[in-house]
Amino acid sequence: MKKLLTVSLFMLSATTFAMDADQLKENDLKTCQQQALSAPEDQQDHKKETCECIVNNTDYEALAEARQEGDMDKLNELKAEAADQCDA
């Protein structure tokens, strides 16, 4: 589930390359809310908390820079590092 969440955040982030770090983070937080609402009711809180943990542990400055450079490996690495910190 963590990998699916990470991939979902990454894919949504990858759709708008002109965003700065703050916009990327805000966009990902909105995605967390949407994903939580689409989950079964008994899993919504956990899904939202996990997603927000990943967002809060992501270096969005580095993420924005990697996106501008088109460095997909770095993007994946940054998201994976954040997800690893939220392993529950």
Side-chain angles (χ1 to χ4, degrees), residues 1-87:
M1 183 166 99
K2 180 175 67 170
K3 288 182 182 182
L4 177 62
L5 185 61
T6 301
V7 170
S8 297
L9 286 173
F10 171 73
M11 293 304 292
L12 187 60
S13 294
T15 60
T16 51
F17 282 96
M19 291 184 158
D20 68 13
D22 291 333
Q23 291 170 321
L24 290 171
K25 184 172 184 176
E26 183 179 322
N27 193 44
D28 283 352
L29 286 171
K30 287 179 185 176
T31 300
C32 290
Q33 293 172 346
Q34 292 171 348
Q35 289 178 343
L37 291 175
S38 68
E41 190 172 331
D42 63 333
Q43 297 175 3
Q44 287 180 353
D45 289 339
H46 177 70
K47 187 165 188 148
K48 185 177 179 186
E49 288 172 9
T50 302
C51 183
E52 288 177 349
C53 179
I54 293 169
V55 170
N56 290 327
N57 285 290
T58 298
D59 181 351
Y60 280 92
E61 294 294 330
L63 188 75
E65 183 179 323
R67 284 173 40 123
Q68 286 180 341
E69 295 171 358
D71 189 346
M72 300 304 282
D73 290 334
K74 183 66 174 177
L75 287 169
N76 290 330
E77 180 184 324
L78 290 166
K79 288 293 185 174
E81 287 173 3
D84 286 345
Q85 293 179 16
C86 299
D87 194 39

